[in-house]
Amino acid sequence: MKTIRLLATLLFASISFQTTSAAIALDDGDPNVRDLGLLAKWFEGEFDNDEQLWVENRSDWWGKAEEKHGRIHATHKRIKADSIGKYVFYIEEYMDDDPTNVGRQRIVSFESLGEKKPGIVMKLYFLKDATKYLLDADTHDESLASITLDDLFGLDGCNVIFQRNGQQFHGSMHEKACQFGKGDELRYSVHDMVISESEYWRIDRTFLVKDDSFFKGHPNAEPHKMRKAKVYTCDVSFYEKAYYLPSEKDKSYKGLKVHDQGGTAYVLNPVDGKTYFVQLRNKEYPFYDLEDADFFFLRFKEKEAQASTALAFAEPNAKKIGFQMNWASAVCECEE
């Protein structure tokens, strides 16, 4: 009996030693692994600064006209590109709520700074033949599936270094490291970013190397404040007589993709020949210090009209929202 107990004690001690050794081995590894995965998770998705513009376009906004921001919608799509890295993204941004007005295309890769240095580096790449990678291009998926470093080029010193600060990651370039241009227009980039679970803020500014004078960007370094967007699938219908009286002129639009940060989908009503749009906004209302100040709403409006035709309200982040009138209806449901 004593022999059995001794063997059990030795076996337990052996397992405990192996477990402790494994834990020590993990502790001696890269300290950035967990943050690297979290940053990549938060970075993925669609982002839009519609909320920021909504505040700036109010008559009582406190800023100056030249301090207003342009509208940006950013898509960060994670891709598999082992020759570039483990955490690789295709970035596409369009301006002024116009998907055809593409203002930026990039490939970025996130990597740890190493076992002996806390932080994460985002390597920036430009596309040699950017057109074929556009989201709406027929060649988009095929081109991204076969992308390698040979399809890209970069600029020395333009990597962004991220450090975790609480529940955010703050990123910036090394001072005056990212330079481009020639002669008197040789300039350096200041590219600062803040990424959290639900927001993506970015400052892009350039300065002349010769005297550090401001060249381009926001005049007082106020960031584009983009919020992560959720995509909804919307169905919109028009009726000649009423929704319960079918007619040959009735028209339904199915599967429209509309994001909840001011996203819109335009549709034609064949009955009156007018164009309408459905818009979704998940708002963080800034003017009241109340727990229930935030709300989600659907806006239905004739394109050329001043006022909305219909409004529907729901709790923030509602999974489904819609309205029903005799001559029109709409329902939108979150894809998540």
Side-chain angles (χ1 to χ4, degrees):
M1 191 67 176
K2 289 183 179 180
T3 303
I4 294 175
R5 289 179 179 175
L6 178 61
L7 289 174
T9 301
L10 291 173
L11 179 61
F12 177 77
S14 175
I15 293 173
S16 299
F17 175 76
Q18 292 176 21
T19 303
T20 303
S21 299
I24 292 173
L26 288 174
D27 290 343
D28 287 342
D30 190 339
N32 302 309
V33 169
R34 184 172 179 174
D35 282 348
L36 181 58
L38 185 60
L39 176 57
K41 179 181 178 181
W42 287 353
F43 188 76
E44 187 173 12
E46 296 187 37
F47 302 83
D48 201 290
N49 68 326
D50 172 72
E51 182 108 345
Q52 182 179 36
L53 270 65
W54 182 83
V55 173
E56 292 179 353
N57 288 329
R58 287 176 60 92
S59 60
D60 57 352
W61 182 60
W62 52 86
K64 300 177 182 178
E66 61 270 21
E67 295 172 353
K68 290 186 176 182
H69 291 76
R71 175 87 178 269
I72 294 179
H73 185 87
T75 298
H76 300 168
K77 179 180 179 180
R78 188 170 176 181
I79 63 175
K80 182 175 176 56
D82 294 338
S83 64
I84 300 174
K86 180 179 179 181
Y87 297 101
V88 183
F89 292 85
Y90 169 72
I91 293 176
E92 183 173 313
E93 296 180 2
Y94 63 78
M95 317 298 292
D96 303 324
D97 199 28
D98 179 3
T100 66
N101 185 15
V102 176
R104 173 172 299 190
Q105 287 178 270
R106 301 282 191 275
I107 295 292
V108 303
S109 174
F110 291 96
E111 300 176 10
S112 168
L113 284 177
E115 296 182 3
K116 303 299 182 182
K117 192 172 184 180
I120 296 165
V121 57
M122 184 178 79
K123 296 182 177 180
L124 287 162
Y125 301 98
F126 299 87
L127 295 152
K128 293 179 180 178
D129 185 6
T131 304
K132 68 180 183 181
Y133 297 95
L134 288 168
L135 287 169
D136 64 353
D138 294 336
T139 53
H140 171 75
D141 291 330
E142 180 182 353
S143 298
L144 283 180
S146 60
I147 195 168
T148 67
L149 286 172
D150 292 336
D151 302 307
L152 311 174
F153 68 95
L155 294 175
D156 292 337
C158 294
N159 294 336
V160 179
I161 309 300
F162 283 92
Q163 299 290 342
R164 184 164 181 174
N165 187 351
Q167 294 303 303
Q168 298 177 340
F169 289 94
H170 293 193
S172 60
M173 294 176 173
H174 290 303
E175 186 176 1
K176 298 183 181 181
C178 182
Q179 298 190 9
F180 49 91
K182 296 180 180 180
D184 289 340
E185 289 198 354
L186 179 65
R187 51 199 184 272
Y188 62 89
S189 176
V190 175
H191 190 71
D192 297 323
M193 305 167 71
V194 178
I195 297 173
S196 68
E197 186 175 10
S198 60
E199 298 193 57
Y200 167 45
W201 292 17
R202 191 181 74 227
I203 301 173
D204 289 312
R205 307 178 84 204
T206 55
F207 298 82
L208 294 176
V209 172
K210 62 181 180 181
D211 57 7
D212 294 325
S213 61
F214 175 73
F215 182 81
K216 189 176 181 180
H218 197 272
N220 58 4
E222 184 74 13
H224 281 85
K225 299 177 180 179
M226 288 172 270
R227 296 180 62 206
K228 182 166 282 190
K230 294 180 180 179
V231 177
Y232 285 69
T233 299
C234 299
D235 296 340
V236 181
S237 298
F238 295 101
Y239 315 100
E240 181 186 17
K241 301 174 183 177
Y243 67 90
Y244 53 84
L245 294 174
S247 168
E248 292 183 355
K249 287 189 176 181
D250 293 351
K251 177 68 175 179
S252 292
Y253 298 87
K254 304 289 187 180
L256 303 172
K257 304 298 182 182
V258 185
H259 66 81
D260 69 346
Q261 297 299 312
T264 55
Y266 291 87
V267 288
L268 176 67
N269 182 359
V271 178
D272 62 13
K274 296 178 180 179
T275 298
Y276 295 79
F277 67 77
V278 171
Q279 183 179 58
L280 296 177
R281 278 184 168 142
N282 230 328
K283 293 198 61 58
E284 291 184 353
Y285 200 67
F287 298 101
Y288 298 113
D289 186 17
L290 300 172
E291 291 184 0
D292 58 352
D294 299 342
F295 58 93
F296 180 41
F297 76 90
L298 180 156
R299 182 187 189 196
F300 181 67
K301 180 179 177 292
E302 182 188 333
K303 184 178 180 180
E304 305 301 332
Q306 290 186 340
S308 299
T309 304
L311 292 169
F313 294 86
E315 291 292 319
N317 301 305
K319 296 297 184 182
K320 199 170 186 178
I321 191 170
F323 71 88
Q324 175 74 64
M325 299 186 294
N326 275 341
W327 62 276
S329 66
V331 61
C332 298
E333 188 167 1
C334 188
E335 292 188 347
E336 292 183 1

